[in-house]
């Protein structure tokens, strides 16, 4: 699909066809959504689908997870007219932070951190990332928000896989993603 094409009758998730498969090997995610962000209507429809379940919900701030969650999270924040908080990989913030270790989708041990002065008790935060594969990264972000007294208003990602971690998140938090149910098994199997 080219970067100008929009289907005559777009169905939910039509823009998923804009994503590019991994051609660089196992150290990379299996699919790259960044091409979707280049398509103006695709990005708008993706945001509308992600935000539809949260219509009327109290959301005070949007937090995006380093690094690709920054793109989608900032777009969500702008659409909602809310502030944006970056949840970073450790070592990038020059202010007081709280840190959380986690294991990412590739099995690597990492540490994530967030500034301590951005989340006050009771602040309702919508967490956004590009993809939830094993759930480790999102779960660490949830722990950081809750440790600082914030409330997770929801979790939004292009795809939340049906992994053990993805299911854990979906059982405990209001979630939204763009993959239609009939395509979910293909995404879970990385096809």
């Amino acid at each position: 699909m080219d970067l100008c094409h929009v289907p005559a009758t777009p169905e939910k998730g039509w823009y998923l066809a804009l994503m590019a498969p991994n051609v660089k090997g196992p150290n990379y995610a299996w699919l790259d959504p960044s091409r979707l962000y280049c398509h103006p209507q695709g990005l708008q429809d993706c945001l509308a689908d992600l935000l539809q379940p949260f219509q009327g919900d109290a959301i005070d701030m949007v937090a995006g997870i380093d690094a690709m969650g920054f793109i989608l999270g900032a777009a969500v924040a702008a659409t909602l007219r809310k502030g944006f908080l970056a949840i970073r990989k450790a070592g990038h913030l020059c202010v007081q932070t709280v840190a959380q270790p986690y294991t990412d989708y590739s099995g690597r041990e990492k540490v994530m951190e967030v500034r301590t002065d951005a989340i006050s008790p009771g602040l309702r935060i919508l967490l956004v990332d590009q993809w939830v594969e094993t759930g480790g990264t999102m779960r660490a972000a949830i722990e950081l928000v809750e440790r600082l007294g914030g409330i997770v208003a929801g979790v939004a990602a292009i795809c939340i896989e049906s992994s053990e971690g993805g299911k854990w998140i979906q059982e405990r938090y209001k979630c939204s993603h763009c993959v239609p149910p009939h395509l979910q098994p293909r995404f879970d199997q990385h096809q």
Side-chain angles (χ1 to χ4, degrees):
M1 182 180 295
D2 69 44
L3 290 177
C4 297
H5 178 73
V6 177
T9 55
E11 296 177 15
K12 178 183 176 178
W14 70 267
Y15 42 81
L16 296 172
L18 292 162
M19 296 188 296
N22 173 357
V23 295
K24 290 191 170 183
N27 291 334
Y28 296 86
W30 74 278
L31 201 59
D32 177 29
S34 63
R35 190 166 176 259
L36 184 158
Y37 305 147
C38 298
H39 192 289
Q41 190 61 53
L43 178 58
Q44 292 304 311
D45 289 354
C46 175
L47 292 170
D49 288 345
L50 278 179
L51 292 174
Q52 192 282 325
F54 301 107
Q55 296 294 320
D57 288 7
I59 296 171
D60 300 313
M61 183 183 295
V62 176
I65 300 172
D66 200 338
M68 294 304 283
F70 293 169
I71 298 166
L72 197 56
V76 166
T79 300
L80 293 176
R81 297 177 182 247
K82 301 294 179 183
F84 176 77
L85 173 64
I87 298 179
R88 302 293 314 264
K89 292 173 186 157
H92 296 285
L93 293 170
C94 63
V95 295
Q96 195 76 337
T97 63
V98 61
Q100 178 65 42
Y102 70 101
T103 303
D104 74 2
Y105 69 91
S106 68
R108 291 179 287 202
E109 297 292 324
K110 295 184 177 180
V111 177
M112 172 182 306
E113 63 186 3
V114 67
R115 57 186 310 130
T116 57
D117 62 354
I119 299 174
S120 56
L123 195 70
R124 296 185 55 80
I125 298 174
L126 177 61
L127 286 168
V128 179
D129 201 359
Q130 179 170 272
W131 211 270
V132 176
E133 203 163 350
T134 62
T137 305
M138 183 58 73
R139 195 164 176 173
I142 289 168
E143 290 175 21
L144 286 170
V145 167
E146 291 179 345
R147 192 178 325 152
L148 291 171
I151 297 167
V152 176
V155 171
I158 290 173
C159 178
I160 300 175
E161 293 186 24
S162 300
S163 61
E164 183 179 324
K167 288 177 184 174
W168 185 92
I169 292 163
Q170 290 179 313
E171 289 167 0
R172 288 163 177 78
Y173 300 93
K174 186 172 188 175
C175 293
S176 175
H177 67 100
C178 301
V179 178
H182 72 281
L183 292 177
Q184 187 70 45
R186 293 184 65 190
F187 278 76
D188 291 341
Q189 296 164 11
H190 296 181
Q191 297 176 346

